[in-house]
Amino acid sequence: MTETLDLTHWIDGERVAADRPGESLNPSDTREVVARTPDGGAPQVDRAVAAARAAFPAWAEASPEVRSDILDRAGQLLMERKDAVGRLLSREEGKTLAEGVGETVRAARILKYFAGEALRVHGQNLASVRPGVEIQTYRQPVGVYGLITPWNFPIAIPAWKAGPALAFGNTVVLKPAGPTPATAEALVAILHEAGLPKGVLNLVIGRGGVGQALVDHADIAGISFTGSQKVGAGVAEGAVRRQARVQLEMGGKNPLIVLDDADLERAVAIALDGSFFATGQRCTASSRLIVQDGIHDRFVEALAEKVRGLKVGPALDPETKIGPAVSEDQRETSYRYIDIAKGEGGRIVTGGERLQLDLPGWYVQPTLIADTEAGMRINSEEVFGPVASTIRVKDYEQALAIANGVEFGLSAGIVTSSLKHARDFQRRARAGMTMVNLPTAGVDYHVPFGGTKSSSYGPREQGFAAVEFFTQTKTSYSAG
């Protein structure tokens, strides 16, 4: 057992004591309480927003070098503590230790990237159609942002939302996901240690009422949300009702096409990574494997062999390849969809059974399901677990049509040696991100992230695109 943390809100630069009725459990061993947690609500949100609003003028007018230095320092501190923070992440979320440390390093690099972006905010000088008139455009911070983050990337996503918000002079109220508040609190503490002024970044821990209070608050200028479609729709409706900015990321049902000309070993490795690593709990995971007839049977057999070799176990065990699901509900969702797939005629090639390990945890056996049709629920609804299904197709055109035939459109991949098909796929795949001979899961932090259709709404996240959501453009005319 490891020491249990007592978490607090962060409001106006201070830890705020509160009752702690909630618990964050270790999904690898549910006897272990990772943290005792407060259950905030509208009163705490009101205080946090008031603090953020009061801090906004000075932070917005601060030298960009000040903002850059703080973010860079926070990134460095996080990098230095990657092992300790990564271990906490793995204990709380269930990712393997390698994945937990890797995500922590990613968050540190995100902060450092936006430290640089704070210095690169630029405008334009334009010629007017009127003689003697000059025009300049420049970007200004917007105000207080509410950030609602998910549990599957409990430090990287708070970093890639808070990083640009802070870099461009905004202030923030962060609501972390219920299962993973300790990891988010560790990030907030490091940012304050790095020198963040009082009130610039606030943290309110609690359930859905905290998020709703942010969405409804008159002084929240923008909401950035990552989560489910159902909740996202309500967030968008609430924000638009009062004309607040809104940015949504709402998951995927990502296809990976494998054509007959693909290198089989490479295709299997790509599918294994995209479908099963991080326990399949990635919005970019490859949950639909669309495989051309000539390679289908060999691909399924080879992939099944690799899946059988994945060791499921505690996140901190160095031999573990697949950690537990984050919660009991998430575990049960995976098994429910496995049963649905079997009921619709899918064939369980490997997995699908309840695991009985020595530790009480929320473990899911990695599962590969063959003989499915495009219209089945397993191929149209997001499972968010280590479950993948295969769909047999005759040719590339049929594969592309099936890939595009769902309401999601986040990430889409193809494995092929055909330049013709690769280039055509990049143009015609209805997804915000396309991958050629790469897993659908796995993106860089310095480029835009987002999807099409029901996967995303509003401006892109991350990279150079983040400035669009977290600043507003002012156009200035002047005459001599």
Side-chain angles (χ1 to χ4, degrees):
M1 294 288 182
T2 307
E3 181 182 2
T4 299
L5 302 174
D6 287 324
L7 301 187
T8 64
H9 310 298
W10 278 84
I11 298 176
D12 203 20
E14 303 290 340
R15 285 187 166 96
V16 177
D19 293 337
R20 300 181 181 91
E23 292 180 335
S24 172
L25 300 181
N26 182 347
S28 296
D29 182 351
T30 55
R31 297 169 301 180
E32 180 186 347
V33 178
V34 176
R36 287 181 284 266
T37 63
D39 187 15
Q44 288 75 30
V45 169
D46 287 343
R47 288 180 59 194
V49 174
R53 186 180 181 187
F56 173 69
W59 183 245
E61 293 298 323
S63 165
E65 191 171 61
V66 170
R67 299 196 291 265
S68 176
D69 286 350
I70 290 172
L71 288 172
D72 185 68
R73 193 176 304 122
Q76 187 60 39
L77 288 170
L78 191 55
M79 193 74 76
E80 292 169 0
R81 299 171 192 175
K82 65 182 187 299
D83 293 329
V85 176
R87 184 180 180 87
L88 172 63
L89 192 161
S90 294
R91 286 177 57 221
E92 187 173 49
E93 198 273 349
K95 291 183 178 182
T96 66
L97 185 57
E99 290 168 339
V101 172
E103 183 184 335
T104 303
V105 170
R106 181 184 182 88
R109 295 196 185 282
I110 288 168
L111 295 179
K112 284 181 166 290
Y113 172 82
F114 283 110
E117 289 296 278
L119 301 171
R120 286 191 284 267
V121 181
H122 61 270
Q124 294 177 304
N125 290 320
L126 301 167
S128 173
V129 296
R130 293 170 288 174
V133 175
E134 294 182 352
I135 305 171
Q136 294 84 35
T137 69
Y138 54 96
R139 293 185 177 275
Q140 293 182 312
V142 178
V144 182
Y145 277 85
L147 309 181
I148 303 172
T149 60
W151 47 259
N152 63 323
F153 285 91
I155 198 165
I157 291 181
W160 87 44
K161 291 182 188 293
L166 298 173
F168 302 138
N170 303 285
T171 55
V172 167
V173 180
L174 170 65
K175 182 233 176 282
T180 54
T183 307
E185 199 270 349
L187 175 65
V188 170
I190 283 175
L191 279 159
H192 281 92
E193 183 181 342
L196 208 60
K198 293 174 59 175
V200 171
L201 173 61
N202 305 273
L203 173 76
V204 180
I205 298 171
R207 291 174 288 182
V210 173
Q212 191 63 54
L214 287 172
V215 171
D216 293 340
H217 204 290
D219 291 329
I220 292 286
I223 293 284
S224 182
F225 166 86
T226 298
S228 69
Q229 283 186 330
K230 181 179 179 181
V231 176
V235 169
E237 183 179 352
V240 171
R241 185 183 301 118
R242 57 181 189 80
Q243 299 179 347
R245 293 182 170 212
V246 64
Q247 176 187 65
L248 309 176
E249 292 296 340
M250 299 174 289
K253 192 66 184 174
N254 308 295
L256 178 70
I257 295 173
V258 180
L259 296 184
D260 284 347
D261 60 14
D263 177 277
L264 179 60
E265 184 176 352
R266 187 175 190 180
V268 167
I270 287 170
L272 188 74
D273 182 317
S275 299
F276 298 101
F277 289 172
T279 320
Q281 295 176 147
R282 298 183 283 189
C283 56
T284 51
S286 312
S287 56
R288 295 183 295 147
L289 307 176
I290 304 168
V291 188
Q292 196 170 356
D293 187 67
I295 198 174
H296 179 276
D297 292 349
R298 289 181 293 134
F299 172 83
V300 169
E301 181 180 355
L303 180 58
E305 182 178 356
K306 293 292 186 182
V307 173
R308 292 186 193 102
L310 295 173
K311 180 181 177 181
V312 179
L316 300 183
D317 184 341
E319 300 299 318
T320 294
K321 298 300 181 184
I322 304 292
V326 72
S327 66
E328 183 177 16
D329 284 349
Q330 207 59 41
R331 179 191 65 185
E332 293 308 306
T333 295
S334 291
Y335 282 115
R336 179 165 58 87
Y337 273 102
I338 291 168
D339 290 341
I340 288 170
K342 288 192 294 185
E344 291 180 322
R347 173 172 61 91
I348 306 298
V349 182
T350 186
E353 300 297 327
R354 296 271 177 172
L355 289 175
Q356 298 296 326
L357 303 185
D358 291 338
L359 294 175
W362 295 311
Y363 298 100
V364 179
Q365 189 174 37
T367 301
L368 179 63
I369 307 169
D371 301 338
T372 71
E373 301 295 332
M376 291 180 177
R377 290 180 63 187
I378 194 65
N379 290 320
S380 58
E381 300 174 13
E382 191 172 34
V383 178
F384 226 63
V387 180
S389 53
T390 67
I391 304 170
R392 188 192 298 263
V393 294
K394 294 180 179 179
D395 54 27
Y396 167 73
E397 288 296 332
Q398 185 185 10
L400 182 64
I402 290 173
N404 288 337
V406 296
E407 63 177 322
F408 294 97
L410 183 55
S411 183
I414 188 170
V415 188
T416 181
S417 60
S418 166
L419 180 61
K420 172 186 173 182
H421 286 140
R423 292 290 183 247
D424 184 79
F425 176 79
Q426 288 177 316
R427 290 191 302 270
R428 295 171 60 199
R430 295 190 62 200
M433 299 175 289
T434 60
M435 310 289 182
V436 176
N437 295 324
L438 289 165
T440 58
V443 296
D444 289 357
Y445 57 83
H446 66 300
V447 297
F449 176 95
T452 62
K453 298 187 280 187
S454 295
S455 285
S456 301
Y457 180 85
R460 288 289 188 254
E461 293 194 283
Q462 294 204 74
F464 54 83
V467 72
E468 297 294 337
F469 183 64
F470 289 108
T471 66
Q472 54 194 355
T473 297
K474 179 174 282 187
T475 304
S476 180
Y477 295 84
S478 60

